[in-house]
Amino acid sequence: MAPYDKGANSRADRSDRTRHPNGTPAARSAKHRGFRAADPTAPRQKQRWDADERRSRPSSGERPNWEPRDSRGSRPAWEPRGAGRPARGDDRAPRSFDRNDRAPRRDNDDRPLRFDRDDRAPRSFDRTDRAPRRDNDDRPRRFDRDDRAPRSFDRTDRAPRRDNDDRPRRFDRDDRAPRSFDRNDRAPRRDNDDRPRRFDRDDRAPRSFDRNDRAPRRDNDAPRSFNRDDRAPRSFDRTDRAPRRDNDDRPRRFDRDERAPRSFDRTDRAPRRDNDDRPRRFDREDRAPRSFDRTDRAPRRDDAPRGHFVPADDVKLDKLQAESIVAADVEGVTFGDLGIGGNISRALAELGASSPFPIQAATIPDVIAGKDVLGRGRTGSGKTIAFGAPLVEKLMEHGGGTKRKMGRAPRALILAPTRELALQIDRTVQPIARSVGLFTTQIYGGVPYGRQEGALQRGVDIIVGTPGRVQDLMKKGTLDLSEVVISVLDEADHMCDLGFLEPVQEILSATAEVTPQGNRAQKLLFSATLDTQVAALVEEFLHEPSVHEVAGEDQSSSTIDHRVLVVEQRDKDRVLEELVAGEGKTIVFARTRAYAERLADQFEDAGIRATSLHGDLNQSRRTRNLQLLTSGRVNVLVATDVAARGIHVDDVSLVVQADAPDDYKAYMHRSGRTGRAGKEGTVVTIVPRSRRRKIEGILEHAEIEADLVESGPGDRILAELAAR
DNA sequence: AAAAAAC
């Protein structure tokens, strides 16, 4: 099998695969853990064992064989022995924490299932997709399409497509021949170029970079957009940052003095078109104070005409000159209208994106025009395609795609803050790239180098990865970014966080400054919470970026029900257990890895199918555990903020914040895991009484309305909120 | 302060 298969699946491979006559699809054998007699009349419910049953089974209290402990032969460093475990009720069997003195496990024992989150092979609960084993190998995953994380473009029409395609696709797409939709002999393209382009740039209002026809700048001529002086201190504060780049010997391309006035500069713009009254994301009190508060802005136009595309209006969005687009603007628009070629359009349609979402309609033309772009769209609004599709189109444009020159250097780079997100992005971008004969490869940590370096050697066009491994390979000399002419930062604001910023700066510095055609290399920054935190990168690497957002994407238009439960600390774990006992998919966010692991453990002990996702798991476990939720083999995932951003799992109906989020951004990203595709979702945040004020502040900044309710174990509200 | 991101 896979070269990196470490045999972690051996247990499942030994397991009894015969189907029990009464077995559910999820558990075929009565001997198999997880077996549950089928009872079609019983209400769907999470599999669980009650206390009596647990008591009756001598081994039931044992800790599952989860990887960190097992593989290290001891308790992980981050969790002192016995630390943090919830007090167990008397009904719990004594647990044995020392695994080494235990007899080897027998797979066919009949003790109750405990979702072995980490080292178990894919569970038997769903065998139909299991035949080709693939869950455990360590190699870079190209998720099988049937269970891959849904993409950012949530569409109600997407499900059917996905269901149709449930063959386990395991082939390496990098190597695969161009797809069938790559043909030239197909029906004529329908993106008729001769009809008026609704998004034609030429009929837009003068852009910000055209300074001459703009109203005079108001606030002086300082060629910078950010008032540094009133910003909160940042480690990358301008004043001490300049030298950093000046030191390098290459020409500064974006010398401020020669730059056009920045888009962040508000006041000189046309009147606002709309949405001044909607929740502002760019002007929050808890942010670093900035130069651009909006009180001094031009009068707004609340009554902007709708129903037709009006890209012309500059929206003054808190210093980010954002062109706003509303959903109605894109009706009837096709990707072809935006400048996307036929092959790519067809690939998009295959991905379920038959017509552009607003953020896509907003950013695609600018990317194709060669501009730097900042894009902000709500979680799940289709940002991946918003940069992925035009990126591929641009690569086609210069350089031409179809010839695969061995060893050619990549020409595009997409960076994400987590491996899972990088994988997910690649699952969207790869088919788009392949539709025109371009190749992508994933460059992220936690997996062997061989495959990644091999792919680079063979030659790829688009890198999708995380900063650490990209830097690593750069230093090893196996990754050459000097020909990268389009760079994308997904979750760009997060990429400016301490710890990310410097690597990102180094990486971007290694990319090309100009294209072979002599044009400026492009940088695209996207995030649902894109704000002035990206100033550091914008100033250093972007040139007159256009800024886009989607209007009307405030919380009031959301399908999410937000609740806050004020809970006594000692009751917290029990309350959580009741909350996650519902049958729908639930993601629980914890602040630390140890707590995430402990909670998942506790839920399993309570008979709830749960798993965990955090940085203490190795990559194959991370990948698999996420997949367990995606595929529905578990319906509770307890995660750290590694899962807060970007990760899409279909049909998550409940997000529980076991620990309050750090800030409103974390709140928005975490809660964005549910309520996707216009579906309903619930977000429940648990806070101790002492944190009431804190969460109220966060909610206010996120502009979310939620009542705080005191609650405790056994409250009816817990069962009501549990995922349906 | 934690988490993420390389080995």
Side-chain angles (χ1 to χ4, degrees), chain A residues 223-243:
Chain A
R224 49 141 186 72
S225 43
F226 290 89
N227 184 339
R228 295 175 204 126
D229 299 326
D230 59 4
R231 276 211 311 235
R234 316 220 341 223
S235 63
F236 33 85
D237 197 278
R238 277 290 133 306
T239 52
D240 57 18
R241 200 158 66 74

Side-chain angles (χ1 to χ4, degrees), chain A residues 344-365:
Chain A
I344 295 174
S345 294
R346 282 185 287 274
L348 292 170
E350 281 225 350
L351 289 167
S354 50
S355 61
F357 281 175
I359 187 67
Q360 297 158 3
T363 59
I364 287 174

